[in-house]
Amino acid sequence: MKRTLVILGCLSGGTYYILSNPLPRVEANGEPYQILPKVSESDHPNKHFLTRLPIKTVGIIGGGIAGCVMAKTLTQQGYQVEVIEKNPSFGGLWYKNYDGSGLQFHRDHYNLPDFPFVSKEDFPRSPEVAKYIESYAEKYSIKPYFQFKTSVNSIEQEKNDTWTVKTDKGDKNYDFLVLCTGPYNKPYIPKIKGFDRFKGKIIHSSEFINAENECKGKKVLVVGSGKSAFDILGQARNYGADVAVVMRKTHWLVPVDLKVFGYPLGHFNSSRLGGLFLDPYYSERSWVDSITGFFSPVYWYMIMWFIKKGVPNELMSEESYKKEKHFRGGARDKTIYKDIGNGKIPLHRGNIEEINSTGIRINGKDIPADLIVFATGFDREFFGLPAEEDGLWLYRNVLVPGKKNLAVIGIVNTYCNPLYTNMQAVWLAEVLRGQVCLPNEKKMHEDVNERKAYTRTILSGESTISFSWFPYPTIDQLLKDMGLSIIRKPNRLKYWFEPIKPEDYKEVVTHRK
């Protein structure tokens, strides 16, 4: 017995020593925000992609967080940048989002590495998020590079491979073009028979701006099963509306403050340890997957047990939690779950058969409504780029193989979008100055096709491309391309068990060789 205790003690002590022992530090190189040297035109490794060397003028479409990060990154490297934004100010989608909208993940994750999001709220509302983005723009003095209240009609590549952007205020030409319009740029409402017969009002969630005026004393029917649907249900009810919801199918929309063994859910499904029990990224498959795959069902059964305690049966998804995108976030008002479960908020499952003069018909039953809000998401507009039904497939989620002098930043969702967007911006800056060597067009196509084919075996649907919602593989990939270490934690304990933190990557965006 004593020998067993001694052995267990030694194993425990040894394990703790290994996990807590510091990992090699990642030292900063050079001064922050310096203009970094660029490879000469004759020696530039990406001449097959960059046909205008040296790159001087860069156009950016979109003034949300991706556009701001891109503008800051490139202006600090001496490029002549102009950002075109249709709204009167910064923020993109957050500038004027639906009433009641806000972050679905803790603000610690909606953070930029070199600009912390300071707030009294864990899940700030839209106005505060927009202010955070504006404050970032003010800190880095990028406002002079923005042209607000300007709508883009189309983009066109000229014979010399520069890009012309046609706007409502005239045409503009750039050596290089970056699309930062995000994944939510074209509201989608399904075509349903009878729209013209409805005597009430039909709007998309993006038009749900003044909840008090829209909802007070009315019957409000929300169509959708995502975060926006839950937000709008709560906000409409706050203003005295009689609410109901229609869901074609349910998704795993877990409470934002759900805990497992007393720890936030993020410690289990957004740490590197949790990532071991997911399907591996297309470029990271190995024999280890057979081992982790064996234990994966047990791991996710444990997580599911805790989730089911906080989600009523009516909202259980038909898909496995592992298969669906895990980081959907959830309703901040937890009474929404409870009231759907006890019937206080009627839930109608299925497809709407038609819209009539007083509401909708579903499952052969008429449901009355004064206001119908379609929280049904967005189509993605890419200005004619070759998108497929399940997304725009890009090399490193940034470049379109075969399209020279063009990049797309910020169209793939993760639970830490600002960080991933910032990593993409830094990676693109390194491509432009010749420090990241791109493969030829054929190799880029092969890489994209490999990821596409593999991803489609795991997920399906319009958001298949968002397999990279688990952020580590994609961020690690970019760091390796730039010759930087993927280790951003002080020890193995934090490396494996602590969720990703944007501040871990501060040196990547402020110091580079």
Side-chain angles (χ1 to χ4, degrees):
M1 183 66 179
K2 290 183 179 180
R3 181 180 296 177
T4 302
L5 292 175
V6 170
I7 292 173
L8 289 175
C10 291
L11 288 173
S12 300
T15 301
Y16 178 77
Y17 174 78
I18 292 172
L19 290 176
S20 60
N21 198 39
L23 289 167
R25 281 186 54 82
V26 180
E27 300 293 344
N29 294 285
E31 296 299 321
Y33 313 125
Q34 62 178 330
I35 294 183
L36 304 172
K38 299 174 178 61
V39 173
S40 66
E41 181 177 352
S42 59
D43 295 329
H44 204 294
N46 301 323
K47 288 189 288 185
H48 62 290
F49 172 67
L50 303 172
T51 58
R52 301 283 293 181
L53 289 172
I55 294 291
K56 292 182 179 179
T57 60
V58 181
I60 299 172
I61 301 177
I65 198 158
C68 289
V69 167
M70 198 73 251
K72 173 254 189 183
T73 303
L74 293 183
T75 54
Q76 286 181 342
Q77 296 309 310
Y79 295 98
Q80 299 173 30
V81 170
E82 183 174 49
V83 185
I84 302 173
E85 167 57 40
K86 64 182 179 181
N87 289 320
S89 188
F90 305 96
L93 182 71
W94 295 110
Y95 172 74
K96 195 176 183 181
N97 211 344
Y98 62 85
D99 198 335
S101 65
L103 295 183
Q104 60 181 315
F105 305 117
H106 196 283
R107 61 180 170 79
D108 285 349
H109 301 307
Y110 198 90
N111 235 336
L112 289 162
D114 55 347
F115 193 69
F117 194 161
V118 179
S119 172
K120 295 179 180 179
E121 302 293 330
D122 289 337
F123 303 91
R125 300 284 184 171
S126 285
E128 192 173 359
V129 179
K131 182 61 180 176
Y132 167 71
I133 298 172
E134 183 179 4
S135 298
Y136 174 84
E138 290 173 351
K139 176 180 179 179
Y140 292 108
S141 304
I142 58 175
K143 187 173 183 178
Y145 307 106
F146 280 67
Q147 183 169 328
F148 295 112
K149 299 181 181 179
T150 305
S151 296
V152 175
N153 298 322
S154 64
I155 63 174
E156 182 179 328
Q157 192 161 30
E158 304 296 343
K159 290 182 179 180
N160 64 358
D161 288 326
T162 62
W163 286 90
T164 294
V165 178
K166 299 181 181 296
T167 78
D168 58 353
K169 294 182 179 178
D171 296 353
K172 299 175 177 295
N173 184 262
Y174 307 101
D175 294 339
F176 195 93
L177 183 64
V178 187
L179 303 184
C180 295
T181 50
Y184 308 117
N185 49 41
K186 189 178 180 182
Y188 168 75
I189 295 180
K191 294 180 180 179
I192 302 172
K193 183 174 67 173
F195 263 80
D196 55 342
R197 296 203 301 265
F198 185 56
K199 293 181 179 179
K201 188 175 182 180
I202 297 175
I203 61 174
H204 184 264
S205 57
S206 59
E207 302 172 286
F208 187 77
I209 303 301
N210 191 323
E212 184 174 9
N213 289 345
E214 297 280 11
C215 300
K216 195 171 184 178
K218 295 180 181 179
K219 292 182 174 66
V220 176
L221 183 68
V222 181
V223 182
S225 58
K227 170 185 171 292
S228 60
F230 279 66
D231 285 345
I232 290 169
L233 280 172
Q235 198 73 344
R237 194 169 62 167
N238 288 342
Y239 288 108
D242 183 7
V243 300
V245 60
V246 173
M247 296 183 184
R248 183 170 55 88
K249 62 179 182 179
T250 53
H251 300 284
W252 288 112
L253 200 72
V254 301
V256 293
D257 59 352
L258 183 70
K259 293 188 176 181
V260 177
F261 297 121
Y263 292 93
L265 179 61
H267 280 71
F268 295 87
N269 66 7
S270 58
S271 65
R272 287 188 186 267
L273 177 67
L276 292 177
F277 301 103
L278 291 168
D279 295 286
Y281 199 47
Y282 79 107
S283 61
E284 296 188 342
R285 290 167 287 177
S286 71
W287 62 270
V288 177
D289 305 325
S290 60
I291 299 175
T292 55
F294 179 80
F295 293 101
S296 179
V298 177
Y299 185 86
W300 293 113
Y301 179 86
M302 175 193 72
I303 301 296
M304 286 287 296
W305 188 83
F306 282 93
I307 290 175
K308 288 180 177 180
K309 291 171 61 178
V311 178
N313 291 333
E314 290 81 0
L315 293 175
M316 295 291 178
S317 174
E318 296 175 1
E319 295 282 6
S320 70
Y321 182 64
K322 176 185 174 183
K323 185 175 181 180
E324 275 208 339
K325 291 189 293 185
H326 296 186
F327 308 107
R328 282 182 165 271
R332 285 163 297 223
D333 182 357
K334 290 190 292 186
T335 62
I336 297 291
Y337 296 98
K338 181 180 178 181
D339 289 346
I340 288 177
N342 61 27
K344 289 184 179 180
I345 297 179
L347 168 62
H348 306 282
R349 294 287 301 272
N351 292 312
I352 298 175
E353 297 161 20
E354 65 174 341
I355 298 175
N356 53 42
S357 61
T358 59
I360 67 164
R361 174 169 281 266
I362 184 171
N363 301 325
K365 182 180 178 181
D366 290 331
I367 309 299
D370 302 307
L371 173 68
I372 302 175
V373 183
F374 281 89
T376 45
F378 294 77
D379 282 332
R380 302 182 182 190
E381 177 58 58
F382 301 115
F383 300 103
L385 294 179
E388 300 182 40
E389 288 187 6
D390 55 0
L392 181 62
W393 294 89
L394 307 168
Y395 179 75
R396 298 297 193 256
N397 287 327
V398 176
L399 305 179
V400 183
K403 289 288 183 182
K404 302 178 186 298
N405 306 327
L406 175 73
V408 184
I409 298 291
I411 68 164
V412 174
N413 289 319
T414 76
Y415 86 109
C416 53
N417 282 339
L419 170 62
Y420 182 46
T421 296
N422 210 157
M423 295 299 100
Q424 288 182 311
V426 172
W427 181 88
L428 180 59
E430 299 294 82
V431 168
L432 295 183
R433 76 183 187 101
Q435 296 301 317
V436 167
C437 181
L438 298 175
N440 60 39
E441 183 180 331
K442 180 182 177 182
K443 292 290 186 183
M444 290 173 72
H445 273 294
E446 289 175 353
D447 184 89
V448 170
N449 288 334
E450 180 187 357
R451 182 167 68 92
K452 183 194 308 182
Y454 173 68
T455 304
R456 286 174 176 171
T457 67
I458 301 170
L459 299 176
S460 62
E462 62 182 15
S463 298
T464 304
I465 192 173
S466 295
F467 176 70
S468 52
W469 40 254
F470 184 68
Y472 282 115
T474 48
I475 291 177
D476 289 352
Q477 197 174 50
L478 298 178
L479 292 175
K480 290 174 184 176
D481 285 350
M482 293 187 284
L484 300 176
S485 173
I486 67 170
I487 297 173
R488 298 287 147 185
K489 300 289 188 180
N491 56 57
R492 289 177 180 84
L493 189 66
K494 289 181 177 292
Y495 179 83
W496 286 108
F497 295 96
E498 186 178 72
I500 199 169
K501 289 184 177 181
E503 58 263 33
D504 297 336
Y505 295 80
K506 183 176 180 179
E507 289 182 346
V508 177
V509 305
T510 59
H511 299 79
R512 301 194 299 287
K513 289 183 180 179

